């Protein structure tokens, strides 16, 4: 079994457990307490998605250059309880970065919305790299944007892989970004 198939197989018991939960702040806390960086699930998924990026089957399609890439690993299927699996690679070393309020270099991705929410495993590739979730900056661990939420994905401190699970595979880029 290849690493892509291993990642999908490793995701199924997790998705079975969370399939009836609602993404949001409470679920994000639960995910970080239950499946945080020290957990076997986090370690396995992080290892497999790193391999996927190295092997070229994950986060392999440029969105806005080599420092912002994504790919759908699996469409929603009954075996994953209709969750899709997607990976995004973002690196704040990109020339398009900007400074945030704390003087960190930040790379901002495409504005989008989560009709049914999102479960997002954050895997820093550089020490100190973080992804901005709706509850604030997140290093190794999870974010869980609420159903109906909209945001720009932002990364600071280097490179991050975000492995995310979307209920019904739903994500929308059809929203006007705030001014």
């Amino acid at each position: 079994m290849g690493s892509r198939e291993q990642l999908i197989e490793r995701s199924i018991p997790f998705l079975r457990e969370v399939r009836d939960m609602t993404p949001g702040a409470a679920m994000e806390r639960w995910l970080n307490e239950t499946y945080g960086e020290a957990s076997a699930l986090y370690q396995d998924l992080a290892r497999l998605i790193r391999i996927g990026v190295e092997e070229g089957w994950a986060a392999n399609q440029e969105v806005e250059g080599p420092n912002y890439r994504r790919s759908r690993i699996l469409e929603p299927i009954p075996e994953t309880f209709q969750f899709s699996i997607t990976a995004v690679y973002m690196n704040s070393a990109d020339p398009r970065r900007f400074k945030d309020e704390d003087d960190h270099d930040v790379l901002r991705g495409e504005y989008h919305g989560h009709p049914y929410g999102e479960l997002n495993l954050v895997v820093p590739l550089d020490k100190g790299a973080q992804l901005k979730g709706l509850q604030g900056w997140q290093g190794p661990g999870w974010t869980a944007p609420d159903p109906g939420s909209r945001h720009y994905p932002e990364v600071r401190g280097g490179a991050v892989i975000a492995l995310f699970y979307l209920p019904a595979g739903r994500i929308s880029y059809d929203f006007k970004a705030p001014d």
Side-chain angles (χ1 to χ4, degrees), residues 3-4 46-58 161:
S3 54
R4 179 182 175 276
R47 177 182 58 80
L48 290 165
I49 199 59
R50 280 188 197 104
I51 291 169
V53 170
E54 290 169 12
E55 291 179 347
W57 55 261
I161 301 170

Side-chain angles (χ1 to χ4, degrees), residues 56-121:
W57 55 261
N60 58 1
Q61 299 162 1
E62 289 188 12
V63 178
E64 294 176 2
N67 288 318
Y68 182 26
R69 308 186 307 260
R70 72 173 165 251
S71 66
R72 180 70 59 102
I73 295 167
L74 185 70
E75 295 296 329
I77 59 173
E79 292 79 9
T80 61
F81 310 95
Q82 301 305 329
F83 281 84
S84 64
I85 305 173
T86 301
V88 173
Y89 169 88
M90 294 179 74
N91 187 340
S92 66
D94 191 276
R96 296 175 300 108
R97 68 188 180 269
F98 64 93
K99 296 284 187 186
D100 71 1
E101 63 279 358
D102 299 320
D103 205 37
H104 292 105
D105 287 330
V106 174
L107 176 64
R108 176 178 283 169
E110 289 182 296
Y111 189 75
H112 65 277
H114 302 283
Y116 302 136
E118 172 186 47
L119 307 178
N120 187 8
L121 181 79

